[in-house]
Structures are given as C-alpha cells and as structure tokens.
Amino acid sequence: AQSVTQLDSQVPVFEEAPVELRCNYSSSVSVYLFWYVQYPNQGLQLLLKYLSGSTLVKGINGFEAEFNKSQTSFHLRKPSVHISDTAEYFCAVRTSNTGNQFYFGTGTSLTVIP
Amino acid sequence: ETGVTQTPRHLVMGMTNKKSLKCEQHLGHNAMYWYKQSAKKPLELMFVYNFKEQTENNSVPSRFSPECPNSSHLFLHLHTLQPEDSALYLCASSERGAGNEQFFGPGTRLTVL
C-alpha cells in the first residue's frame, strides 16, 4: 500500500519569510504527486502537481515543489509567505497501479504570523 | 454553478434520524468520491464511483449508504449515526487516469447529537 508522510503537523512562520512543507511518500512504482490547500470551512484546492518531466513544479499563489525520486520526497516551498497563506496543506499521491485512489498525508497547518 | 457543489453545508442530526448529503459536479468528470475529514486525522476515503459503478468501499459502516444515479450526482444516505461520525464530509470528482487531480466540493459539516 502507498503511504504519504507529512512530518510537520504545524508550521508557524513570520510574514515574508520563506517556508518549506515536507512530504515523503512510499511507492515502488511510478507516482503522480499533488499538493492541495484547504482554507477554513472550504474544500481542498489544487496548488500544483507533478506528473513527469522537470522535477521543479510551479503552482498557484507563488508556491513550488520539487520531486526527488531518490529521497521519495515532494517538498512544497514558497520564498515569501503572506498572511493569506495561512491554511492547511495536504500532500497526495496517486500511482499508476492504484486506479482512481488518492493517498493523502495528515496535513500541515501553516500559520503566518504578522 | 461551476465546479463541485455540496448541500447542505451544515447538518445537525440525532442518532435516530435519516438524512442525505448531496454532491453535484459540473465538470463532466466520470469518477466521484466521498471522503470523511475528522480533526487530526488523515482524509479517509469512503467510496469511489466510476461511471456510476462503485469501485471502492473502504470498510465503511452500513449506516452510510452511497448512491450514484448518474455521473454528475452523488448522494450519501445517513441513518442511525453515532456521535463519532461527526466530521466534515467532502465530495470530489476527477477524470479517470492517474495524472488527473481531484476537484473538491466545500464539504458538509455534520454534527451527530
């Protein structure tokens, strides 16, 4: 079975500082990787995804993530955060042999401090 | 409306009640999902439908009963729930194919008294 680990459950960071949210996965087959954001009282919204090609993926709201196959990681980064980035962030994996099933991490709560 | 919609947004019910959650997607997708989101827990996949056929049932108690009358609509029928079933219930849809992301609705916040 696949698994997704988000090592940090809570990440506080000051406004305009950089941030990295970590995600590791376990899979022996080809993976497709996703980062979602959830604002309070809302559903999940896609930030970015990695399917193939360049390992550095750029998403919405200035976020980017880097796929590292050897370390089975897909960390999310932003060089300068805003108050509006305060939200829950979820990493997800889908593999070529699991059909439509996504595997989600437990989420990281990002709090941007003014 | 566009995207994925869910009704109601909030629901309070007693343990003996029967209620239904509704999800509708306006994206032309052929797969739909129900998730349960509880505090401090990973998203729990409950059911998956492909072209109206149920393909996944992750050991969900029978007090939750899904229905997918067509590829645009998904229901979750609830009866004799327990307080621990209180959670945010999220609906999502996607195209088939591993590279396609899921689109989520805003969720229904369910409280079981």
Side-chain angles (χ1 to χ4, degrees):
Chain A
Q2 321 303 325
S3 70
V4 180
T5 303
Q6 291 183 245
L7 294 166
D8 307 301
S9 60
Q10 295 185 7
V11 173
V13 63
F14 286 103
E15 193 174 13
E16 298 183 6
V19 70
E20 179 180 83
L21 306 183
R22 295 180 291 169
C23 173
N24 288 87
Y25 65 92
S26 66
S27 175
S28 58
V29 299
S30 297
V31 294
Y32 304 95
L33 297 155
F34 306 80
W35 273 101
Y36 285 86
V37 60
Q38 185 179 31
Y39 299 104
N41 300 314
Q42 294 186 26
L44 279 67
Q45 177 185 358
L46 183 71
L47 274 177
L48 48 79
K49 64 180 179 180
Y50 171 79
L51 302 183
S52 65
S54 173
T55 57
L56 184 63
V57 180
K58 293 190 183 298
I60 62 171
N61 300 341
F63 283 93
E64 62 182 32
E66 185 154 20
F67 170 58
N68 187 319
K69 187 175 182 180
S70 63
Q71 296 187 7
T72 60
S73 68
F74 190 54
H75 300 332
L76 181 71
R77 302 187 185 101
K78 186 169 182 178
S80 175
V81 295
H82 301 133
I83 296 291
S84 59
D85 293 323
T86 295
E88 192 85 12
Y89 291 79
F90 293 91
C91 181
V93 168
R94 200 177 189 185
T95 67
S96 55
N97 64 351
T98 55
N100 283 339
Q101 188 153 345
F102 281 71
Y103 296 86
F104 283 87
T106 51
T108 297
S109 177
L110 174 65
T111 301
V112 179
I113 305 165
Chain B
E1 290 203 59
T2 59
V4 181
T5 58
Q6 290 187 244
T7 55
R9 293 293 310 275
H10 300 273
L11 178 63
V12 180
M13 59 187 289
M15 289 190 285
T16 58
N17 292 157
K18 288 186 181 181
K19 297 286 184 184
S20 296
L21 310 185
K22 179 183 176 182
C23 175
E24 185 172 0
Q25 58 99 357
H26 310 267
L27 301 167
H29 291 161
N30 42 44
M32 296 187 76
Y33 313 75
W34 278 118
Y35 286 91
K36 177 183 179 182
Q37 186 178 31
S38 304
K40 309 300 181 187
K41 290 186 179 181
L43 276 171
E44 299 175 48
L45 179 64
M46 300 175 73
F47 302 103
V48 181
Y49 278 82
N50 279 307
F51 294 103
K52 304 186 300 178
E53 299 296 322
Q54 185 175 311
T55 57
E56 297 277 348
N57 178 340
N58 285 355
S59 304
V60 180
S62 60
R63 57 185 183 269
F64 295 92
S65 175
E67 179 190 0
C68 189
N70 54 62
S71 57
S72 298
H73 293 85
L74 186 64
F75 294 89
L76 188 62
H77 304 299
L78 316 171
H79 64 98
T80 60
L81 294 191
Q82 305 298 313
E84 60 264 29
D85 296 322
S86 298
L88 182 68
Y89 288 85
L90 292 165
C91 175
S93 70
S94 74
E95 288 284 351
R96 289 198 71 189
N100 293 304
E101 67 268 29
Q102 292 182 332
F103 290 77
F104 284 81
T108 295
R109 174 69 62 187
L110 174 67
T111 302
V112 181
L113 301 177

